[in-house]
């Protein structure tokens, strides 16, 4: 046990080291597998999932989220390092990567406001390397996590903070932020805010996204915004939105956009 380290911290570090070794063993077995590339890849994905579930099950999201972040960080980087040996014909590879990315992003949104510096730096460096390795094979599944890893924290972006506090920044700042995050991540943020009863903040963000031309037809932001208004029981605000939509469509009809 390292100096100043608690027994709980020691057990966590030991479990993470064991996880890293088991993933390394799977990668070594994959490289030495005599089966066809497809069969070897299918077997690797199956074993990978079993190891991940076994280790992740040691902690509960609502009680010990930080060790779980370590688990996902190790898992994603380990999978990325093995990616060059996996068959492009194996459908489980992109599916597993996507599931890993979304699950990790969902966990990140639940984390405390300030993640310990060393852990966040490890996440950042691991996602940068993993994203780079996967890009070599044309994979884009880690784009979402790569965006989060570029920031100082999950909720620390100054433009996002301004939007959520209803202090809307300049249009150019908003545009840059929305383009950086993307519709998928913003949708996840909004759903999380609703889940933790921050409906007013979710409404502000959803409205901002619904008015951004680049997200037209993506994310159902308008419907989510109206849902937030309904949840907040602001009947007057809801009716105002309905009137605005009606006026907008009437104007487009008059201009000949609708036949």
């Amino acid at each position: 046990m390292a100096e100043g380290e608690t027994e709980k911290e020691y057990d966590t570090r030991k479990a993470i080291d064991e996880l890293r070794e088991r993933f390394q063993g799977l990668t070594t077995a994959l490289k030495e597998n005599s089966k066809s590339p497809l069969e070897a890849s299918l077997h690797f994905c199956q074993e990978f999932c079993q190891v991940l579930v076994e280790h992740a099950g040691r902690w509960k999201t609502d009680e010990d989220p930080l060790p779980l972040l370590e688990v996902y960080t190790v898992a994603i980087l380990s999978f990325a390092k093995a990616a060059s040996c996996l068959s492009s014909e194996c459908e489980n590879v992109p599916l597993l990567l996507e599931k890993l990315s979304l699950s990790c992003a969902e966990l990140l949104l639940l984390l405390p406001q300030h993640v310990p510096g060393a852990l966040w730096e490890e996440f950042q460096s691991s996602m940068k390397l993993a994203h780079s390795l996967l890009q070599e094979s044309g994979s884009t599944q880690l784009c979402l996590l790569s965006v989060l890893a570029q920031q100082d924290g999950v909720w620390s972006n100054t433009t996002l903070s301004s939007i959520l506090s209803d202090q809307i920044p300049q249009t150019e700042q908003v545009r840059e932020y929305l383009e950086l995050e993307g519709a998928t991540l913003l949708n996840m943020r909004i759903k999380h805010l609703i889940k933790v009863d921050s409906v007013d903040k979710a409404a502000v963000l959803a409205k901002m996204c619904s008015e951004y031309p680049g997200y037209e037809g993506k994310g159902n932001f308008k419907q989510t915004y109206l849902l937030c208004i309904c949840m907040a029981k602001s009947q007057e605000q809801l009716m105002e939105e309905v009137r605005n939509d009606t006026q907008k469509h009437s104007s487009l009809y008059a201009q000949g956009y609708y036949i």
Side-chain angles (χ1 to χ4, degrees):
M1 187 182 297
E3 184 178 353
E5 188 177 41
T6 66
E7 184 175 350
K8 184 177 180 180
E9 290 171 338
Y10 171 75
D11 290 341
T12 297
R13 180 170 58 82
K14 187 176 179 181
I16 297 301
D17 288 342
E18 179 187 340
L19 176 64
R20 190 177 285 108
E21 289 176 5
R22 291 190 66 181
F23 281 141
Q24 180 58 53
L26 292 180
T27 302
T28 300
L30 172 67
K31 294 177 179 179
E32 297 174 352
N33 201 311
S34 59
K35 298 179 181 178
S36 70
L38 178 56
E39 289 181 309
S41 298
L42 286 169
H43 181 73
F44 174 85
C45 289
Q46 182 181 12
E47 292 292 311
F48 188 95
C49 287
Q50 289 179 353
V51 171
L52 178 60
V53 169
E54 177 185 330
H55 279 261
R58 300 184 182 187
W59 299 278
K60 295 181 179 179
T61 304
D62 55 345
E63 296 178 3
D64 295 297
L66 296 181
L68 282 172
L69 176 58
E70 290 190 76
V71 168
Y72 276 113
T73 300
V74 170
I76 291 169
L77 182 56
S78 296
F79 197 94
K81 288 180 177 179
S84 62
C85 301
L86 296 170
S87 171
S88 59
E89 297 179 2
C90 182
E91 297 180 352
N92 288 358
V93 172
L95 289 175
L96 180 51
L97 264 176
E98 183 176 7
K99 180 62 177 177
L100 278 171
S101 178
L102 291 175
S103 296
C104 185
E106 289 174 353
L107 174 65
L108 285 167
L109 295 176
L110 292 170
L111 291 180
Q113 190 71 15
H114 299 291
V115 177
L119 177 56
W120 187 252
E121 290 173 6
E122 180 187 358
F123 169 75
Q124 288 180 305
S125 60
S126 295
M127 291 310 105
K128 182 178 180 180
L129 177 55
H131 185 53
S132 176
L133 290 171
L134 290 169
Q135 278 187 313
E136 293 177 3
S137 58
S139 174
T140 60
Q141 275 85 3
L142 286 193
C143 286
L144 189 149
L145 291 181
S146 177
V147 169
L148 283 173
Q150 293 174 37
Q151 305 179 38
D152 294 330
V154 184
W155 296 94
S156 64
N157 185 282
T158 54
T159 302
L160 173 63
S161 298
S162 297
I163 293 172
L164 296 182
S165 60
D166 212 7
Q167 299 174 351
I168 309 304
Q170 295 181 355
T171 303
E172 184 62 22
Q173 287 180 288
V174 173
R175 184 189 65 78
E176 289 178 358
Y177 171 71
L178 295 180
E179 288 186 355
L180 170 68
E181 292 251 314
T184 299
L185 179 54
L186 286 165
N187 224 338
M188 293 176 71
R189 286 192 185 279
I190 293 168
K191 289 180 179 178
H192 171 76
L193 290 169
I194 293 174
K195 185 176 180 179
V196 297
D197 294 327
S198 295
V199 179
D200 54 340
K201 294 182 178 181
V204 172
L205 187 55
K207 187 174 189 294
M208 183 71 65
C209 293
S210 71
E211 295 173 347
Y212 179 55
Y215 290 163
E216 188 174 354
K218 299 178 181 179
N220 297 320
F221 292 114
K222 185 65 174 182
Q223 292 91 324
T224 303
Y225 171 55
L226 296 177
L227 173 64
C228 289
I229 295 176
C230 291
M231 293 174 68
K233 299 180 181 179
S234 177
Q235 190 69 22
E236 182 179 345
Q237 194 175 3
L238 178 60
M239 293 306 297
E240 179 65 25
E241 285 298 324
V242 172
R243 282 194 295 270
N244 289 340
D245 271 0
T246 301
Q247 292 173 359
K248 176 182 177 182
H249 290 302
S250 296
S251 175
L252 291 173
Y253 182 86
Q255 296 175 44
Y257 284 93
Y258 298 141
I259 298 177

